[in-house]
Amino acid sequence: MSSGYFEDVRFEGNDFAVKPLATGVYEGCSFTNCNFADANISLIQFVDCVFRSCNLSMVKVGNTTFNGVAFEECKILGVNFETSNKSLFKLSFSKSVLNYSSFYQCNLRKAKFPDCVFHESDFTEADLTEAAFLHCDLLNAKFERSVLEKADFRSAINYSINPELNKIKKAKFSFPAAAGLLDKYGITID
């Protein structure tokens, strides 16, 4: 792979699973309808980039920089974001499917997640202070030792959060989904 600096480049319909993305810095770039499935984008720096309608399932992100990166309508299955560069970690997701992805110990403060699906995703020890899970499906998502203070779960569904294992001060929930805070007790609410 070659290395370089790419600014304001538009990538459309590229299959980076077949022809790998060159290592380097991508600033202000957009990726539309691109396939990254099982690709290795480790050590690449993405700054103020947008991924639209891309498949990033099982992509390897070892020490990858995501600084001001937006994912829109993407399929992102089984990605371990905990292996990416944590010092410049700022990303957002909208209308994306992130099943089986891991955000272990990631800083997602004030992140907005409109209309996303996080089935079986792992948020263990993540900082989600003031994050907003807007109309998200969190079926079997794992929250342990997570900071959820002032997080917004009012329109989220299928979450199960143990208040004894997480910091949830001033988090926002709505009824009846708030029953997910009582799952550990095995009770039925009618």
Side-chain angles (χ1 to χ4, degrees):
M1 275 193 276
S2 60
S3 180
Y5 178 78
F6 307 89
E7 185 175 13
D8 299 326
V9 179
R10 295 176 62 185
F11 298 90
E12 294 187 30
N14 297 64
D15 190 346
F16 297 113
V18 174
K19 185 176 182 208
L21 183 66
T23 58
V25 178
Y26 293 81
E27 186 169 352
C29 296
S30 65
F31 299 86
T32 305
N33 294 315
C34 293
N35 181 33
F36 291 88
D38 292 308
N40 188 348
I41 59 171
S42 296
L43 302 173
I44 294 176
Q45 296 179 44
F46 297 102
V47 180
D48 299 327
C49 292
V50 177
F51 292 81
R52 287 185 190 92
S53 303
C54 293
N55 180 3
L56 293 109
S57 297
M58 301 300 291
V59 69
K60 283 99 181 143
V61 294
N63 210 26
T64 301
T65 298
F66 295 106
N67 186 7
V69 176
F71 296 92
E72 302 169 356
E73 298 180 2
C74 290
K75 180 179 176 182
I76 309 169
L77 306 179
V79 177
N80 293 319
F81 286 99
E82 77 243 23
T83 64
S84 61
N85 182 346
K86 300 273 183 53
S87 64
L88 298 171
F89 190 78
K90 185 175 179 189
L91 38 72
S92 65
F93 303 96
S94 66
K95 298 181 181 177
S96 294
V97 178
L98 295 112
N99 297 346
Y100 310 104
S101 291
S102 178
F103 298 92
Y104 174 73
Q105 293 186 334
C106 289
N107 182 349
L108 296 163
R109 294 175 69 90
K110 297 185 180 183
K112 306 283 186 256
F113 306 109
D115 304 302
C116 290
V117 179
F118 291 97
H119 291 186
E120 306 276 343
S121 290
D122 186 358
F123 293 98
T124 299
E125 296 183 22
D127 185 349
L128 292 152
T129 303
E130 295 185 62
F133 290 92
L134 308 168
H135 305 284
C136 289
D137 187 346
L138 296 160
L139 183 68
N140 295 320
K142 184 178 179 180
F143 295 93
E144 286 186 13
R145 299 174 307 282
S146 305
V147 181
L148 305 172
E149 294 176 345
K150 298 181 184 177
D152 189 347
F153 289 91
R154 290 178 293 185
S155 58
I157 60 170
N158 295 323
Y159 56 82
S160 177
I161 299 170
N162 183 341
E164 295 173 13
L165 296 178
N166 298 282
K167 295 180 182 180
I168 63 168
K169 187 175 182 178
K170 296 188 180 180
K172 299 172 186 138
F173 301 94
S174 65
F175 188 79
L181 298 170
L182 304 172
D183 284 346
K184 79 169 220 126
Y185 299 110
I187 61 175
T188 303
I189 299 173
D190 291 325

